[in-house]
């Protein structure tokens, strides 16, 4: 059985764990270099992207993540996850992410916490779900990839082959369909 | 979902802050140091708790101008404190766009009988608790996040440890009850039956549970995490130490790797002087902050 790693240095990794448990999938938390060895897919949860990047750098996870990207292994990021997967980041000290997805993303683009909301998104696999947008980013430009999820017609999630990034949290409202979709991707890739 | 959608979004932000450190800051420069060190949020204050304690007088919400300057300086969420029961201070903070409000015993209470009705707000609230009964009353009032009270501004972790252990113990006691014993338990704790039932079914609070009050070193932070805290608030501990940059970074790493003594040993080395602590046993009863707002 294939195993999913959840990057667990900070954020809502417990919520992703609960979804994987519900789906009966083998999972582990990824916090160190060696944790990458026996996993087949990687979930990057929500949280603070600035905190993620600091720990990723200080604990030599950066080279593993870049290698993971170069090997095109299945990766699924939510909110802070899509931010660090992006090639360009607006409203950010550094301005660039790890380039899994060739998109331009803007952090905290809806505003502050009082502008956070729950809304229904439409997936491109014939499914609609209520999900949470929490201090969410906005995808400003897509250079490569397809919209996998839309909110009022605008892309809020992008898939480029084995890489999926979404600006919202299905794991907070408990919708499991996108995780299921990601698992299929993991199972179909070598 | 326990209450409604508005509450769920608020708890959602609390969940995003897990596994992180929330640092007290008093100006934009400190806020930037905190963000750079990897803090998940900052608490904007006029004075850190150690100075509030030293100076005495009535401690109130910070000047919104100071808070706004801190909000402009960083991209991570910004929190600020209001007095217990002072819902107008909370309205003001919500108006300026604060991301989280701490209804805090560190400030002088404005109401000795009522806490703020936090369901009325779009902005999430965090509240302190010494035990499960306090925690559940705050959740019932709409708190999206619970933290231990500890004893703020002392640099002494003993009270935070006491409160975290007690809350965890009370949670496991409920989980071990028979279903028909939950009614009596709710009565005993003076809280809503459904909250007690939630704990019985899930073995945890319906909101995240963080640690605060006296955490001064990376080891203190990791101790609280190992005792079951999901994140850590560090008040005076960082900017009252001899090397705030180093302390801030080390505490962030200590929380991420709280169960890894190898990492903890490395980051605890040559940090310089921690904040000077206070022996809580020497404080007079009226100097304790934790007994405010029960």
């Amino acid at each position: 059985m294939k195993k999913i790693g959840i990057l667990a240095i900070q954020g809502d990794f417990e919520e992703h764990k609960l979804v994987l448990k519900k789906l009966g999938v083998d999972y582990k938390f990824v916090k160190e270099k060696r944790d990458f060895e026996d996993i087949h897919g990687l979930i990057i949860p929500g949280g603070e992207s600035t905190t993620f990047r600091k720990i990723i750098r200080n604990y030599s996870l950066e080279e593993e993540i870049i290698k993971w990207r170069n090997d095109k292994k299945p990766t699924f990021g939510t909110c802070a996850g899509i931010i660090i997967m992006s090639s360009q980041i607006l409203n950010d000290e550094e301005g660039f992410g790890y380039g899994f997805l060739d998109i331009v993303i803007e952090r905290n683009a809806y505003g502050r916490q009082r502008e956070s909301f729950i809304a229904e998104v439409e997936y491109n696999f014939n499914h609609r779900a209520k999900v949470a947008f929490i201090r969410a980013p906005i995808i400003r430009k897509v250079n490569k990839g397809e919209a996998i999820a839309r909110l009022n017609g605008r892309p809020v999630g992008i898939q480029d082959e084995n890489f999926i990034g979404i600006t919202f949290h299905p794991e907070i409202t408990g919708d499991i369909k996108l995780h299921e979709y990601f698992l299929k991707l993991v199972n179909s890739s070598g | 979902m326990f209450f409604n959608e508005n509450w769920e979004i608020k708890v959602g932000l609390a969940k995003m802050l897990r596994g992180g450190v929330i640092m007290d800051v008093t100006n934009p420069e400190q806020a930037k140091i905190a963000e750079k060190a990897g803090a998940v949020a900052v608490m904007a204050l006029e004075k850190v708790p150690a100075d509030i304690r030293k100076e005495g007088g009535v401690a109130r919400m910070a000047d919104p101008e100071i808070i706004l300057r801190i909000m402009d300086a960083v991209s991570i969420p910004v929190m600020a404190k209001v007095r217990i029961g002072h819902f107008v201070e909370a309205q003001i903070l919500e108006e300026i766009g604060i991301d989280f409000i701490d209804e805090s015993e560190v400030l002088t209470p404005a109401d000795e009988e009522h806490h703020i009705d936090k369901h009325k707000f779009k902005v999430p609230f965090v509240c302190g608790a010494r035990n499960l009964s306090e925690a559940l009353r705050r959740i019932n009032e709409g708190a999206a996040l619970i933290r231990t009270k500890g004893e703020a501004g002392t640099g002494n972790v003993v009270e935070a440890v006491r409160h975290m252990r007690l809350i965890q113990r009370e949670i496991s006691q409920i989980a071990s009850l028979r279903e028909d014993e939950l009614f009596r338990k709710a009565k005993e704790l003076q809280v809503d039956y459904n909250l007690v039932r939630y704990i019985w079914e899930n073995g945890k609070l319906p909101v995240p549970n963080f640690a605060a009050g006296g955490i001064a070193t990376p080891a203190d932070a990791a101790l609280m995490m190992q005792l079951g805290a999901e994140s850590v608030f560090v008040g005076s501990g960082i900017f009252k130490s001899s090397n705030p940059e180093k302390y801030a970074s080390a505490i962030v790493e200590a929380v991420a790797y709280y169960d890894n003594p190898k990492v903890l040993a490395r980051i605890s080395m040559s940090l310089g002087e921690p904040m000077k602590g206070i022996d809580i046993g020497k404080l007079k009863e009226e100097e304790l902050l934790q007994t405010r707002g029960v």
Side-chain angles (χ1 to χ4, degrees), chain B residues 30 56 62-63 65 86 100 130 177 189 226 242 271 284:
Chain B
Q30 290 184 352
D63 180 344
E65 169 81 31
H86 206 315
F100 230 108
R130 290 176 303 171
L177 291 177
L189 290 171
Q226 288 198 28
S242 65
L271 279 176
K284 294 193 206 93

Side-chain angles (χ1 to χ4, degrees), chain A residues 46-91:
Chain A
E48 278 307 315
S49 58
T50 49
T51 308
F52 286 9
R53 279 187 288 178
K54 144 130 191 166
I55 299 279
I56 285 172
R57 221 156 271 164
N58 288 7
Y59 286 81
S60 327
L61 300 176
E62 193 157 61
E63 46 185 306
E64 293 302 319
I65 286 180
I66 290 169
K67 189 163 169 289
W68 188 267
R69 178 202 66 196
N70 290 343
D71 293 346
K72 295 212 176 337
K73 294 204 181 153
T75 312
F76 171 29
T78 62
C79 198
I82 190 177
I83 292 173
I84 69 164
M85 286 174 76
S86 300
S87 51
Q88 198 188 337
I89 312 171
L90 306 176
N91 188 17

Side-chain angles (χ1 to χ4, degrees), chain B residues 195-224:
Chain B
L195 278 168
V196 175
R197 192 175 177 92
Y198 181 95
I199 292 175
W200 182 69
E201 283 171 0
N202 298 280
K204 58 178 181 132
L205 297 176
V207 305
N209 184 14
F210 291 5
I215 294 151
T217 66
D220 287 351
L223 173 66
M224 296 312 301

Side-chain angles (χ1 to χ4, degrees), chain B residues 89-272:
Chain B
E89 285 185 346
Q91 289 165 1
I92 291 170
L93 290 184
E94 181 167 65
E95 176 58 32
I96 67 170
I98 200 83
D99 297 299
F100 230 108
I101 294 177
D102 184 5
E103 187 182 18
S104 177
E105 69 283 0
V106 169
L107 305 183
T108 311
D111 190 325
E112 293 184 335
E113 274 137 32
H114 308 96
H115 279 69
I116 297 171
D117 175 2
K118 295 166 271 287
H119 288 294
K120 291 252 156 51
F121 290 79
K122 176 99 208 282
V123 58
F125 280 74
V126 50
C127 289
R130 290 176 303 171
N131 52 47
L132 189 61
S133 161
E134 283 184 26
L136 294 182
R137 280 198 293 278
R138 300 296 85 77
I139 294 169
N140 209 24
E141 293 154 5
L145 173 61
I146 292 296
R147 57 168 175 77
T148 57
K149 284 179 173 171
E151 190 56 42
T154 61
N156 190 336
V157 79
V158 65
E159 293 300 306
V161 167
R162 190 194 317 281
H163 301 160
M164 185 54 75
R165 275 193 187 273
L166 179 56
I167 290 173
Q168 301 292 4
R169 190 160 63 238
E170 289 180 290
I171 288 174
S172 30
Q173 275 164 358
I174 287 181
S176 68
L177 291 177
R178 276 168 53 102
E179 191 174 4
D180 60 5
E181 292 168 337
L182 298 177
F183 298 99
R184 195 205 135 89
K185 192 70 191 172
K187 200 167 119 188
E188 186 189 309
L189 290 171
Q190 300 176 286
V191 298
D192 182 2
Y193 168 80
N194 290 312
L195 278 168
V196 175
R197 192 175 177 92
Y198 181 95
I199 292 175
W200 182 69
E201 283 171 0
N202 298 280
K204 58 178 181 132
L205 297 176
V207 305
N209 184 14
F210 291 5
I215 294 151
T217 66
D220 287 351
L223 173 66
M224 296 312 301
M225 293 295 286
Q226 288 198 28
L227 287 172
E230 296 175 276
S231 274
V232 169
F233 285 85
V234 184
S236 323
I238 289 168
F239 291 97
K240 286 284 171 190
S241 72
S242 65
N243 192 337
E245 280 93 345
K246 254 181 141 173
Y247 262 87
S249 276
I251 292 178
V252 166
E253 294 177 20
V255 167
Y257 293 95
Y258 68 91
D259 53 357
N260 185 334
K262 203 176 262 179
V263 172
L264 296 174
R266 184 174 53 74
I267 59 180
S268 298
M269 286 181 204
S270 50
L271 279 176

